[in-house]
Amino acid sequence: MKEVYEFLKKCETYYIATMDGDQPRVRPFGTVDIFEGKLYFQTGKVKKVSKQIHANPKIEISGMADGKWIRIEASAIEDDRVEARQHMLDAYPILQKNYRADDGNTEVFYLNDAIATISSFTDEPKVIQF
């Protein structure tokens, strides 16, 4: 999982795909954090992405760095603890302009049953499950 975390950090911007009914939706993300042995990302409860994940927690993540790309299949599980939200905000102080751990909007999800595949044109794909 740490390798996946480090890859996403290198990407700086990665993309999360969700389902909105029968329509796929993809948008950029930049937050990634490890808390209590799980890989997390952050959003706001008022955003459509939050509502889509709550309706269908199956997501895919994709990003590219250093001539390689990653695809992650997972379920996104909300962690509603203040400690988890605060850990993310501490990792990304810039978010604290718009979010607080106790604002009723900040939301963090961890990846569950994740299968990450790191690929390139020169190496065999590497599969990481966590």
Side-chain angles (χ1 to χ4, degrees):
M1 179 188 57
K2 185 154 176 64
E3 184 174 354
V4 172
Y5 165 80
E6 290 170 0
F7 194 99
L8 292 174
K9 289 289 277 189
K10 278 186 198 176
C11 291
E12 294 183 9
T13 300
Y14 59 89
Y15 300 86
I16 295 182
T18 60
M19 290 299 292
D20 184 10
D22 66 349
Q23 179 65 47
R25 303 287 182 195
V26 180
R27 77 269 295 149
F29 273 74
T31 57
V32 61
D33 192 23
I34 294 177
F35 178 65
E36 295 182 348
K38 296 176 182 170
L39 191 67
Y40 283 77
F41 65 92
Q42 180 272 339
T43 191
K45 290 182 180 183
V46 298
K47 295 182 177 182
K48 290 181 181 179
V49 66
S50 171
K51 292 166 184 46
Q52 292 159 9
I53 292 171
H54 283 284
N56 181 352
K58 292 182 181 179
I59 64 167
E60 287 211 9
I61 297 173
S62 182
M64 190 165 189
D66 299 333
K68 297 181 179 183
W69 57 93
I70 191 167
R71 285 187 43 216
I72 307 166
E73 304 170 37
S75 291
I77 308 298
E78 182 185 9
D79 185 337
D80 198 28
R81 296 177 298 154
V82 168
E83 298 85 1
R85 294 190 299 266
Q86 188 61 55
H87 196 272
M88 177 66 76
L89 294 174
D90 290 344
Y92 291 89
I94 195 162
L95 292 176
Q96 296 178 29
K97 293 178 184 178
N98 298 315
Y99 295 99
R100 288 188 335 273
D102 61 354
D103 65 6
N105 180 43
T106 302
E107 185 171 44
V108 293
F109 293 90
Y110 65 86
L111 303 185
N112 191 49
D113 296 329
I115 301 171
T117 305
I118 299 173
S119 302
S120 74
F121 289 118
T122 58
D123 299 322
E124 290 294 317
K126 181 173 186 177
V127 177
I128 303 165
Q129 296 184 337
F130 57 96

